[in-house]
Amino acid sequence: MLFADAAVRLAGMAGVAFGWSPDAFWAATPAELGALVRALAGDEGPVADAGDLARLMEAFPDG
């Protein structure tokens, strides 16, 4: 799955689950979205860190 496809899917899910508009989704940080998802799921799994974000930014540059 392409990053853009996954992002669109997540934006839609955030709208349904949290009432977020697309603007709210794109303004949110990964930590904010993750916190809400974990709160709903009761999951206390690993959280993305700065290294994960750097790898994603390198793999998916949007410059």
Side-chain angles (χ1 to χ4, degrees), residues 1-8 60:
M1 177 178 287
L2 296 174
F3 175 80
D5 296 334
V8 168
F60 300 102

Side-chain angles (χ1 to χ4, degrees), residues 4-34:
D5 296 334
V8 168
R9 185 167 184 239
L10 280 175
M13 293 170 70
V16 171
F18 312 124
W20 283 9
S21 67
D23 288 339
F25 173 79
W26 290 110
T29 66
E32 291 168 332
L33 180 57

Side-chain angles (χ1 to χ4, degrees), residues 1 4 8 13 15 17 39 43-44 47 49 61 63:
M1 177 178 287
V8 168
M13 293 170 70
D43 181 21
E44 295 190 22
V47 176
D49 62 18

Side-chain angles (χ1 to χ4, degrees), residues 36-63:
L36 290 173
V37 170
R38 282 191 306 281
L40 284 180
D43 181 21
E44 295 190 22
V47 176
D49 62 18
D52 295 327
L53 183 57
R55 284 186 291 281
L56 284 170
M57 290 172 66
E58 184 176 326
F60 300 102
D62 61 350

